Amino acid sequence: MPPKRIEDAVGRAALTAVLGGSTVRTDVATAVRWTLQRLADDVPGNSVEVRVPPFAAVQAVPGPRHTRGTPPNVVETDAATWIALATGSLRWSEAVAAARVSASGSRADITAFLPVRTSA
């Protein structure tokens, strides 16, 4: 069963709270899950898995479909870094250079899909 979709108003409210300094786990979790949901909606596909443990992971980006085991193209980062990338306050190249994101595979550079669309 697919995860329950986060309504845009709920996601935006959580993201606004986090950007305003909230560290409440439910705010952070909702903001991360919603921005990942938006990424997957805007860039559908199964060639890259974007992971933000312990909150969520999505598959996105058109290309070869991954079906079993560890995907060949993986992006993994923490919640604060993901929120910064998703909102455009941190550039992909800066996050990679500072080792704040782990990206493996030929399709794992998601620069073209950042920041994530957070407005209607």
Side-chain angles (χ1 to χ4, degrees), residues 29-93:
T30 300
V32 166
R33 290 177 182 138
W34 182 67
T35 53
L36 285 171
Q37 173 183 295
R38 296 300 296 239
L39 174 70
D41 287 350
D42 290 348
V43 192
N46 298 99
S47 69
V48 178
E49 186 166 292
V50 181
R51 301 174 181 168
V52 184
F55 300 114
V58 296
Q59 290 190 354
V61 184
R65 181 175 177 84
H66 161 71
T67 56
R68 294 187 319 187
T70 302
N73 301 289
V74 176
V75 172
E76 188 166 328
T77 191
D78 62 275
T81 300
W82 171 250
I83 295 294
L85 287 167
T87 59
S89 65
L90 177 64
R91 291 185 7 212
W92 176 261
S93 59

Side-chain angles (χ1 to χ4, degrees), residues 6-39 42 52 55 78-90 114-120:
I6 298 168
E7 295 294 324
D8 288 341
V10 172
R12 271 191 211 96
L15 183 59
T16 298
V18 170
L19 293 175
S22 175
T23 58
V24 175
R25 184 175 173 85
T26 55
D27 290 341
V28 175
T30 300
V32 166
R33 290 177 182 138
W34 182 67
T35 53
L36 285 171
Q37 173 183 295
R38 296 300 296 239
L39 174 70
D42 290 348
V52 184
F55 300 114
D78 62 275
T81 300
W82 171 250
I83 295 294
L85 287 167
T87 59
S89 65
L90 177 64
L114 298 172
V116 174
R117 182 178 55 89
T118 58
S119 60

